[in-house]
Amino acid sequence: MKKSSVFRHTLGLGLVAGSLLAATSCTKDLDRTPTYDLNTASVYKDAAGYQAVAAKVYSGFAVTGGQGPDATTGDILGIDQGTSDYLRGLWSAQELTTDEAVIQWGDPGVQDWHNMNWTPSGVLIQGLYSRILYEVTLCNGFLAQATDANLSDRGITGADLTNIQRLRAEVRFLRALSYYHALDLFGNPPFATEADEIGGTTPPKQTSRAELFAYIEKELQEIDADLAAPGQNLYGRADKAAAWTLLARLYLNANVYTGTDRYADCATNAKKVIDSGVYSLMPQYRNLFRANNNTSKEIIFPIVYDGKKTQTYGGTTFLTHAAVSGTANENWNPSLYGIDGGWGGIRTTPRLYQQFPDTAADTRAKFVTGGQTLEVTSQTTFQNGYVPIKFRNITSTGGPGSDLVFVDSDFPMFRLADVYLMYAEAAVRGGGDKNLALTYVNLVRARAFKTPSAGAITANDLTLDFLLSERSRELFWEATRRTDLIRYGRFTTGAYLWSWKGGVAAGVAVPDYRRLFPIPVADLSVNPNLTQNPGY
Amino acid sequence: MKHSYLVRLLFLLLFACAGFTSAHAQTGSISGRVLDEANQGLPGVTVVIEGTSLGNSTSVDGTYSIQNIPAGPHVLIISFVGYNTQRKDITVASGQNTAVVPVVVGENTTLLNEAVVVGYGTQRRQDVTGAVTQIDEKQFVKGQVTNPEQLIQGKVAGVQITTGGGAPGAATTIRIRGGSSLNASNDPLIVIDGVPVDNSSVTGAANALSLINPQDIETYTVLKDASATAIYGSRASNGVILITTKKGVAGEKLTVNVSSQASVARRYNSVPVLSADEFRNTVAQVAPGKVGLLGTANTNWQDEIFRTAYTSDNNVSLTGAVGKLPFRASYGNLEQQGILRTNRLIRNTGSISLNPILFDNTLKVNVNVKGSIIDNNFADNGAIGAALAFDPTQPVRSGAEGYGGYFEYLQSAGGVPQQNVPRNPLPLLELRRDRSTVKRSIGNAQLDYALPFFRDLHANLNLGYDITRSNGSNLVDSTAAAAYFNRPLDPTLTNRQGGSFNRYAQSRDNKLLEAYLNYTKQFGETRLDVLAGYSYQDFVTTSPNRPTYLADGTTVFQAASINPFRTQYTILSYYGRANLSINDRYVITGTLRNDASSRFSPDNRNALFPAVSAAWNIKNESILKDNNTFSDLKLRAGYGITGQQDVVAAAGSDYPYIQRYTLNSLRAQYGFYNPTTGAYEYFTPYSPQGFNRNLKWEQTTTYNAGIDYGFLDGRLSGSLDVYYRKTKDLLAVIPIALLTNYTNQLVSNVGSLENKGIELNLNATPVQGEHWNWSVNANGTYNVNKILSLGPQAPGFPGIYTNNGGTIGGGTGTQIGIYRVGEASSSYYVYKQVYGADGKPLQDVYADLNGDGVVNSNDRYVYKQAAPPVILGFSSNVSYDRLSLAFTLRSQLGNYLYNNVNSQNGNYNGLTGQPTVVNNVTQDANYTGFTTTTQERYSSDYYIQNASFLRMQNVTLGYDAGKIFGNRGNLRLTAAVQNVFLITKYSGLDPEIFNGIDNNVYPRPRTYTIGLNLSL
């Protein structure tokens, strides 16, 4: 009994002591950190980490999130993940709003593009705006860590240092590209650089279109020294030619953005690309948009996709599937496109088809017409409207891509034919050599026509109207149309109409304020520095 | 509840104290016996001398004795859970044993002295100051109950329990007094035998709680207001459910209990789609060009995919005491088929509890171990949607070899399947093997020690764990058309292409350490109960990274992620409670808890959750003491603050404040092509994640006032509570200023919402007699939920679109719900349908509500809500001698449902939309005549339908055969029907869907059960 009593007292004291001891320890267990995820210090500890984040910056144009297209959430929230893709958003804003494309679907806001009745609360506008500025944030985050001081602190030297300095210039190019899209689409977006904190609560200031124009111009000029010479980088990474092409596009539209013509600057930069000598037109137009277009010498800067490794329901996967009927029949064989089946979404208005005076002679004029009507009686009927055959998940030799759902084809963000046509337009507008312009345009047309000489034009043919049409013939569905129409004053006005422009079957002019998209109301709500674009 | 473990504990506690009260002066002893109304000895009854700590409890035959009582007059208090407390004047003679005449106690429904399980201990019901409802086994829902939470469905005011459909072990959503959060968890905290369990979803088990055998559960206690829940601090905002399992009782003889039941479940209604003949007629009229696509069969696809399902549920338990060791051991086996073909659940459960009391009753040990193994055969619920849309004129089987012999739409005869067409529902089930095995064990060892020198003080140590292991695999046969295109086309493989196979696993290892000191002392008329403690709980979840293969099991179809999954969080807490009862009239309770959660940064990690409440037992005031009308009258009022730290649903991780970089999956790499080598250089990116370093607790302030009443000796009793709950610093996913973070929407502390409501609970015993007895329970809740603020908003900001976690079938990107200031958080946001003169909706015509001449997304408006403002429950139990008939009715009023079945299939687009196939449509298509409509129809208020309902949850007929082996063996036979009837105006299958979106819902069957229960 006595023994038991001692035991009991020991137990009692033990319990009390144990309780007190327990209560005073363990607080350090509250500092739980992710087991596999890294923090800023561990990511940027070596060159491989920088490279991996730079890859994220690049992939921001291609994929919708870090965990694959079927993950429950992507980078951008509040929107269907496949729709949140950079290119799908950009393409919709640049093409669905014009004569080049209509879409069958009725996902909320999808028809607003073509009907030109989008609103500041539209989920698709908000998704595109968020995606573009998210991309800028990725760039800012990388650049804040990639300063020379940080690289030196982290002991990165030699070839690693050179590579990261080059990546830094490339990321600045990518940021300029995204800011250019913001400039072109939204005009006056919020603005931040690597000097601004990420994770803070201070909302960024709004910038004006003119200020942003100057910033992009300056950035592209500043990085010129650090970027690789044209063609000297890996395909997919930006080089000097990519920056020059973006400058050319910026200058070509300078009057829209700032009210001041910069055609000579456009021509100069376009010519630098052309004169670099490393780019040449793809011998066959159709191969520019196929699964192995990475071997093209024409593409200056692509968004790179892979059916297995870089998967998205946006990008060229969207552009390929959406332009194929949802059901197989004699007119539609999905295997000709290298895909499992179509999504039955996008077609074109009669305007694009009619840009081609002779669809038999021009290899660019490939349309599915069987079972389709030329006229778009109803936007939501896939059989209304001819369907261009452009992006296909088969190689130049006809073999399939690596996956039947996700497409291998890269998207040519910039390519040589566009540069030729930009030079030509700048020249016709008084900024360059018209004879050279004629040569360039005829190069583009010679490639396009089955009989190369059949496409040749004369100096008299080289008018601004011709060039706008030629851009449409050459570059349709490549996300430049809206910008081109605005530059020609034909986007909102009654000067040029197409089916269902402004939501009316015959087409109707819409107010000029629709040349800019609205700042989404979600951002206006949380950023008191922002003012809505006029008209909205 | 004759063998109340808790009362025993209480008694032993008292006895322990008594044992050390030395008897200086003249003392005597008493002995007697307590009988029930049938004059049977009643064991386990607490008998105490009023105003002292002297007492005892009755033994198996109902006898008791108490020693060392000071001589003189005393009042003996005889109390037992479920019985009226009796007070008896006695006189104790010095040095003698006084025999007390046998006392007969009657059953009581007010349960005034019932020991109520509360956080960290028990309280006498009269000392409870918060809104607490305790439901014991007698009141549980009977019949085939697979998930423990179904036991109390419809039984507790303020508690909404919604099963996720009719699949065995389907996930259940529990809401107590509405949801207090927008994006953070709205689930209550569930504590099983003192172990707060991780109720987040388990990979491979639809419902984490389904791993608990309902047969092992003795009581449910629902803590509803802050004064009751604040002791659980940061996890208490959505209420707390305490589950106590059955235990052995000291001195009890060994009892074997065998229960066995068998059930048959049948589908009792169908989604109204066109029959084969109706379909032929409709196609001929609407799409005459498609008649050629029709087949010659008459197939009712819903009949094909569903079946009559059988269930057996067998349980055996052994309860009693071996020497000084009371114990209970149980084993249960459940084999339940789902009504959807191939769906099945097998559950084996075992539990052991040991409750010895050692060292002269100073050390109470309580060891519980529960284990279960579930084998699931999941069915593809997509087959349900496919069965609605599939052409009823097509046969189940093609007569050909390909695709498992099932009919499928092919691109050409004998060719490959068509894309974007419905798949035959049968092979979705039959050509898929989706199995999982989930093992879970929850256990704890609790030591309660009365300190040797200070016996009023108890030290309590509780060590617990909750471990889950799940493993599963999912094989889609290579002949299945649904997974045909997983492999690039290979012409040499005919009718047998990709398929898919993947395996998955998850481990959860959660551990608990709690230690508290409890001091209980009666000072004359004043009773003090003070508790102070510490708690440490750690949660770890891991999953391996595995690839998805083609059905051959070797060809990788989707690469594994690079890192496995692992997450961990820890909660560390200090808590205290003081309960002071004066004269049994005035009770004050104060609680305080400090929680620190690893989910927040060190600056925001700690939070203090206080609560204070008071009760006034008016019945015990002298004016009412001898009043026979009132048997109970108590006023309660409480105030408290609770928190919410479960941000995972909103933030997507346990580390929302840390700037993380997540390695991308191998499907989200980026590559650069090297023309020189002809090869790509691929990089796997690190994705920086959005983070909120200022994130902190969500705080809910609750005000509660209640009245507990009892009339006519408890024949009529119940409670009425009113509450107001306001949650601020909502953990909501909201848009943030772009360029400030690596996301466009971030979990933030913003805005506030409120819930206010009334709860009424009424128990009545209209008939109480020798043969006839009838008791009823009615409960009702009225709850109004409103969002008060969502942070700054620019003009034109409509709110935050949401689908409440659901998806809209067919309507990509459609979000049917909205979080909007001034509206309920489950509000719908829709177009206003315009109707024709005939009362039918006009196709694609919606009201221009803002009058700007254009109908666009700005014309949507807030219309109705998914959450029911009114929830009603009604239970009745009538018995005549040994025969009893019980039923439970449940009702929800004012809730609306989005009929996604009709918005997707209720138009002729199914007939005309695709050139090569025709799809079945619902009867609504013939009513509206909608042809090809725009996608706006997915957002039409036409499809928001009144989903109020009245459901008879179950009806049970019981027969108590009594002792079948002479003096031993108690046999009870039952027959039950579940889901007896459903009254609703809702046009779809079943109006009870938690997130408000009706698509592909697994029908809840009608179940017929017979059972027997034998005690030996």
Side-chain angles (χ1 to χ4, degrees), chain A residues 359-373:
Chain A
T359 54
D362 193 331
T363 62
R364 300 170 299 191
K366 290 277 180 264
F367 292 86
V368 176
T369 55
Q372 303 291 126
T373 59

mmCIF file with all atom_site columns, all heavy atoms in Angstrom, chain A residues 359-373:
data_model
loop_
_atom_site.group_PDB
_atom_site.id
_atom_site.type_symbol
_atom_site.label_atom_id
_atom_site.label_alt_id
_atom_site.label_comp_id
_atom_site.label_asym_id
_atom_site.label_entity_id
_atom_site.label_seq_id
_atom_site.pdbx_PDB_ins_code
_atom_site.Cartn_x
_atom_site.Cartn_y
_atom_site.Cartn_z
_atom_site.occupancy
_atom_site.B_iso_or_equiv
_atom_site.pdbx_formal_charge
_atom_site.auth_seq_id
_atom_site.auth_comp_id
_atom_site.auth_asym_id
_atom_site.auth_atom_id
_atom_site.pdbx_PDB_model_num
ATOM 1   N N   . THR A 1 359 ? -9.317  32.376 -104.132 1.00 0.00 ? 359 THR A N   1
ATOM 2   C CA  . THR A 1 359 ? -8.951  31.476 -103.041 1.00 0.00 ? 359 THR A CA  1
ATOM 3   C C   . THR A 1 359 ? -8.226  30.241 -103.555 1.00 0.00 ? 359 THR A C   1
ATOM 4   O O   . THR A 1 359 ? -7.546  29.555 -102.802 1.00 0.00 ? 359 THR A O   1
ATOM 5   C CB  . THR A 1 359 ? -10.201 31.021 -102.257 1.00 0.00 ? 359 THR A CB  1
ATOM 6   O OG1 . THR A 1 359 ? -11.117 30.463 -103.193 1.00 0.00 ? 359 THR A OG1 1
ATOM 7   C CG2 . THR A 1 359 ? -10.838 32.166 -101.523 1.00 0.00 ? 359 THR A CG2 1
ATOM 8   N N   . ALA A 1 360 ? -8.347  29.983 -104.842 1.00 0.00 ? 360 ALA A N   1
ATOM 9   C CA  . ALA A 1 360 ? -7.653  28.811 -105.375 1.00 0.00 ? 360 ALA A CA  1
ATOM 10  C C   . ALA A 1 360 ? -6.169  29.086 -105.554 1.00 0.00 ? 360 ALA A C   1
ATOM 11  O O   . ALA A 1 360 ? -5.341  28.203 -105.368 1.00 0.00 ? 360 ALA A O   1
ATOM 12  C CB  . ALA A 1 360 ? -8.275  28.393 -106.706 1.00 0.00 ? 360 ALA A CB  1
ATOM 13  N N   . ALA A 1 361 ? -5.851  30.349 -105.846 1.00 0.00 ? 361 ALA A N   1
ATOM 14  C CA  . ALA A 1 361 ? -4.460  30.683 -106.133 1.00 0.00 ? 361 ALA A CA  1
ATOM 15  C C   . ALA A 1 361 ? -3.656  30.959 -104.865 1.00 0.00 ? 361 ALA A C   1
ATOM 16  O O   . ALA A 1 361 ? -2.460  30.708 -104.803 1.00 0.00 ? 361 ALA A O   1
ATOM 17  C CB  . ALA A 1 361 ? -4.393  31.894 -107.054 1.00 0.00 ? 361 ALA A CB  1
ATOM 18  N N   . ASP A 1 362 ? -4.339  31.480 -103.872 1.00 0.00 ? 362 ASP A N   1
ATOM 19  C CA  . ASP A 1 362 ? -3.658  31.927 -102.651 1.00 0.00 ? 362 ASP A CA  1
ATOM 20  C C   . ASP A 1 362 ? -3.675  30.801 -101.623 1.00 0.00 ? 362 ASP A C   1
ATOM 21  O O   . ASP A 1 362 ? -4.735  30.383 -101.161 1.00 0.00 ? 362 ASP A O   1
ATOM 22  C CB  . ASP A 1 362 ? -4.377  33.175 -102.124 1.00 0.00 ? 362 ASP A CB  1
ATOM 23  C CG  . ASP A 1 362 ? -3.567  33.894 -101.061 1.00 0.00 ? 362 ASP A CG  1
ATOM 24  O OD1 . ASP A 1 362 ? -2.787  33.218 -100.345 1.00 0.00 ? 362 ASP A OD1 1
ATOM 25  O OD2 . ASP A 1 362 ? -3.727  35.121 -100.942 1.00 0.00 ? 362 ASP A OD2 1
ATOM 26  N N   . THR A 1 363 ? -2.514  30.293 -101.253 1.00 0.00 ? 363 THR A N   1
ATOM 27  C CA  . THR A 1 363 ? -2.465  29.146 -100.330 1.00 0.00 ? 363 THR A CA  1
ATOM 28  C C   . THR A 1 363 ? -2.899  29.513 -98.918  1.00 0.00 ? 363 THR A C   1
ATOM 29  O O   . THR A 1 363 ? -3.114  28.642 -98.086  1.00 0.00 ? 363 THR A O   1
ATOM 30  C CB  . THR A 1 363 ? -1.045  28.567 -100.256 1.00 0.00 ? 363 THR A CB  1
ATOM 31  O OG1 . THR A 1 363 ? -0.160  29.571 -99.744  1.00 0.00 ? 363 THR A OG1 1
ATOM 32  C CG2 . THR A 1 363 ? -0.568  28.099 -101.608 1.00 0.00 ? 363 THR A CG2 1
ATOM 33  N N   . ARG A 1 364 ? -2.998  30.802 -98.658  1.00 0.00 ? 364 ARG A N   1
ATOM 34  C CA  . ARG A 1 364 ? -3.450  31.193 -97.323  1.00 0.00 ? 364 ARG A CA  1
ATOM 35  C C   . ARG A 1 364 ? -4.960  31.045 -97.171  1.00 0.00 ? 364 ARG A C   1
ATOM 36  O O   . ARG A 1 364 ? -5.491  31.008 -96.068  1.00 0.00 ? 364 ARG A O   1
ATOM 37  C CB  . ARG A 1 364 ? -3.042  32.653 -97.043  1.00 0.00 ? 364 ARG A CB  1
ATOM 38  C CG  . ARG A 1 364 ? -1.543  32.865 -97.110  1.00 0.00 ? 364 ARG A CG  1
ATOM 39  C CD  . ARG A 1 364 ? -1.169  34.329 -97.076  1.00 0.00 ? 364 ARG A CD  1
ATOM 40  N NE  . ARG A 1 364 ? -1.728  35.067 -98.209  1.00 0.00 ? 364 ARG A NE  1
ATOM 41  C CZ  . ARG A 1 364 ? -1.389  36.314 -98.526  1.00 0.00 ? 364 ARG A CZ  1
ATOM 42  N NH1 . ARG A 1 364 ? -0.495  36.959 -97.787  1.00 0.00 ? 364 ARG A NH1 1
ATOM 43  N NH2 . ARG A 1 364 ? -1.925  36.928 -99.563  1.00 0.00 ? 364 ARG A NH2 1
ATOM 44  N N   . ALA A 1 365 ? -5.642  30.998 -98.313  1.00 0.00 ? 365 ALA A N   1
ATOM 45  C CA  . ALA A 1 365 ? -7.111  31.011 -98.316  1.00 0.00 ? 365 ALA A CA  1
ATOM 46  C C   . ALA A 1 365 ? -7.663  29.603 -98.203  1.00 0.00 ? 365 ALA A C   1
ATOM 47  O O   . ALA A 1 365 ? -8.288  29.082 -99.114  1.00 0.00 ? 365 ALA A O   1
ATOM 48  C CB  . ALA A 1 365 ? -7.628  31.704 -99.569  1.00 0.00 ? 365 ALA A CB  1
ATOM 49  N N   . LYS A 1 366 ? -7.381  28.950 -97.111  1.00 0.00 ? 366 LYS A N   1
ATOM 50  C CA  . LYS A 1 366 ? -7.896  27.599 -96.889  1.00 0.00 ? 366 LYS A CA  1
ATOM 51  C C   . LYS A 1 366 ? -9.071  27.685 -95.923  1.00 0.00 ? 366 LYS A C   1
ATOM 52  O O   . LYS A 1 366 ? -8.916  28.102 -94.772  1.00 0.00 ? 366 LYS A O   1
ATOM 53  C CB  . LYS A 1 366 ? -6.801  26.711 -96.305  1.00 0.00 ? 366 LYS A CB  1
ATOM 54  C CG  . LYS A 1 366 ? -5.700  26.388 -97.296  1.00 0.00 ? 366 LYS A CG  1
ATOM 55  C CD  . LYS A 1 366 ? -6.103  25.226 -98.194  1.00 0.00 ? 366 LYS A CD  1
ATOM 56  C CE  . LYS A 1 366 ? -5.021  24.887 -99.193  1.00 0.00 ? 366 LYS A CE  1
ATOM 57  N NZ  . LYS A 1 366 ? -5.238  25.542 -100.514 1.00 0.00 ? 366 LYS A NZ  1
ATOM 58  N N   . PHE A 1 367 ? -10.232 27.319 -96.410  1.00 0.00 ? 367 PHE A N   1
ATOM 59  C CA  . PHE A 1 367 ? -11.430 27.393 -95.585  1.00 0.00 ? 367 PHE A CA  1
ATOM 60  C C   . PHE A 1 367 ? -12.195 26.088 -95.692  1.00 0.00 ? 367 PHE A C   1
ATOM 61  O O   . PHE A 1 367 ? -12.200 25.460 -96.761  1.00 0.00 ? 367 PHE A O   1
ATOM 62  C CB  . PHE A 1 367 ? -12.359 28.517 -96.058  1.00 0.00 ? 367 PHE A CB  1
ATOM 63  C CG  . PHE A 1 367 ? -11.812 29.898 -95.847  1.00 0.00 ? 367 PHE A CG  1
ATOM 64  C CD1 . PHE A 1 367 ? -10.972 30.484 -96.787  1.00 0.00 ? 367 PHE A CD1 1
ATOM 65  C CD2 . PHE A 1 367 ? -12.132 30.605 -94.693  1.00 0.00 ? 367 PHE A CD2 1
ATOM 66  C CE1 . PHE A 1 367 ? -10.468 31.759 -96.589  1.00 0.00 ? 367 PHE A CE1 1
ATOM 67  C CE2 . PHE A 1 367 ? -11.629 31.889 -94.504  1.00 0.00 ? 367 PHE A CE2 1
ATOM 68  C CZ  . PHE A 1 367 ? -10.789 32.462 -95.450  1.00 0.00 ? 367 PHE A CZ  1
ATOM 69  N N   . VAL A 1 368 ? -12.849 25.694 -94.614  1.00 0.00 ? 368 VAL A N   1
ATOM 70  C CA  . VAL A 1 368 ? -13.849 24.634 -94.688  1.00 0.00 ? 368 VAL A CA  1
ATOM 71  C C   . VAL A 1 368 ? -15.154 25.300 -95.099  1.00 0.00 ? 368 VAL A C   1
ATOM 72  O O   . VAL A 1 368 ? -15.652 26.181 -94.379  1.00 0.00 ? 368 VAL A O   1
ATOM 73  C CB  . VAL A 1 368 ? -14.022 23.899 -93.355  1.00 0.00 ? 368 VAL A CB  1
ATOM 74  C CG1 . VAL A 1 368 ? -15.142 22.874 -93.460  1.00 0.00 ? 368 VAL A CG1 1
ATOM 75  C CG2 . VAL A 1 368 ? -12.728 23.222 -92.934  1.00 0.00 ? 368 VAL A CG2 1
ATOM 76  N N   . THR A 1 369 ? -15.638 24.919 -96.255  1.00 0.00 ? 369 THR A N   1
ATOM 77  C CA  . THR A 1 369 ? -16.881 25.530 -96.741  1.00 0.00 ? 369 THR A CA  1
ATOM 78  C C   . THR A 1 369 ? -18.020 24.520 -96.794  1.00 0.00 ? 369 THR A C   1
ATOM 79  O O   . THR A 1 369 ? -19.183 24.882 -96.724  1.00 0.00 ? 369 THR A O   1
ATOM 80  C CB  . THR A 1 369 ? -16.675 26.121 -98.147  1.00 0.00 ? 369 THR A CB  1
ATOM 81  O OG1 . THR A 1 369 ? -16.178 25.086 -98.996  1.00 0.00 ? 369 THR A OG1 1
ATOM 82  C CG2 . THR A 1 369 ? -15.682 27.264 -98.123  1.00 0.00 ? 369 THR A CG2 1
ATOM 83  N N   . GLY A 1 370 ? -17.663 23.230 -96.943  1.00 0.00 ? 370 GLY A N   1
ATOM 84  C CA  . GLY A 1 370 ? -18.697 22.202 -97.034  1.00 0.00 ? 370 GLY A CA  1
ATOM 85  C C   . GLY A 1 370 ? -19.499 22.118 -95.744  1.00 0.00 ? 370 GLY A C   1
ATOM 86  O O   . GLY A 1 370 ? -18.936 22.036 -94.659  1.00 0.00 ? 370 GLY A O   1
ATOM 87  N N   . GLY A 1 371 ? -20.812 22.165 -95.892  1.00 0.00 ? 371 GLY A N   1
ATOM 88  C CA  . GLY A 1 371 ? -21.667 22.106 -94.714  1.00 0.00 ? 371 GLY A CA  1
ATOM 89  C C   . GLY A 1 371 ? -21.754 23.418 -93.970  1.00 0.00 ? 371 GLY A C   1
ATOM 90  O O   . GLY A 1 371 ? -22.486 23.525 -93.000  1.00 0.00 ? 371 GLY A O   1
ATOM 91  N N   . GLN A 1 372 ? -20.975 24.426 -94.448  1.00 0.00 ? 372 GLN A N   1
ATOM 92  C CA  . GLN A 1 372 ? -21.002 25.730 -93.789  1.00 0.00 ? 372 GLN A CA  1
ATOM 93  C C   . GLN A 1 372 ? -21.653 26.742 -94.729  1.00 0.00 ? 372 GLN A C   1
ATOM 94  O O   . GLN A 1 372 ? -21.641 26.574 -95.943  1.00 0.00 ? 372 GLN A O   1
ATOM 95  C CB  . GLN A 1 372 ? -19.578 26.201 -93.471  1.00 0.00 ? 372 GLN A CB  1
ATOM 96  C CG  . GLN A 1 372 ? -18.751 25.249 -92.617  1.00 0.00 ? 372 GLN A CG  1
ATOM 97  C CD  . GLN A 1 372 ? -19.238 25.146 -91.191  1.00 0.00 ? 372 GLN A CD  1
ATOM 98  O OE1 . GLN A 1 372 ? -19.502 24.053 -90.710  1.00 0.00 ? 372 GLN A OE1 1
ATOM 99  N NE2 . GLN A 1 372 ? -19.382 26.263 -90.510  1.00 0.00 ? 372 GLN A NE2 1
ATOM 100 N N   . THR A 1 373 ? -22.207 27.793 -94.163  1.00 0.00 ? 373 THR A N   1
ATOM 101 C CA  . THR A 1 373 ? -22.693 28.897 -94.983  1.00 0.00 ? 373 THR A CA  1
ATOM 102 C C   . THR A 1 373 ? -21.698 30.036 -94.900  1.00 0.00 ? 373 THR A C   1
ATOM 103 O O   . THR A 1 373 ? -21.008 30.190 -93.890  1.00 0.00 ? 373 THR A O   1
ATOM 104 C CB  . THR A 1 373 ? -24.057 29.393 -94.468  1.00 0.00 ? 373 THR A CB  1
ATOM 105 O OG1 . THR A 1 373 ? -23.909 29.825 -93.112  1.00 0.00 ? 373 THR A OG1 1
ATOM 106 C CG2 . THR A 1 373 ? -25.107 28.302 -94.549  1.00 0.00 ? 373 THR A CG2 1
#
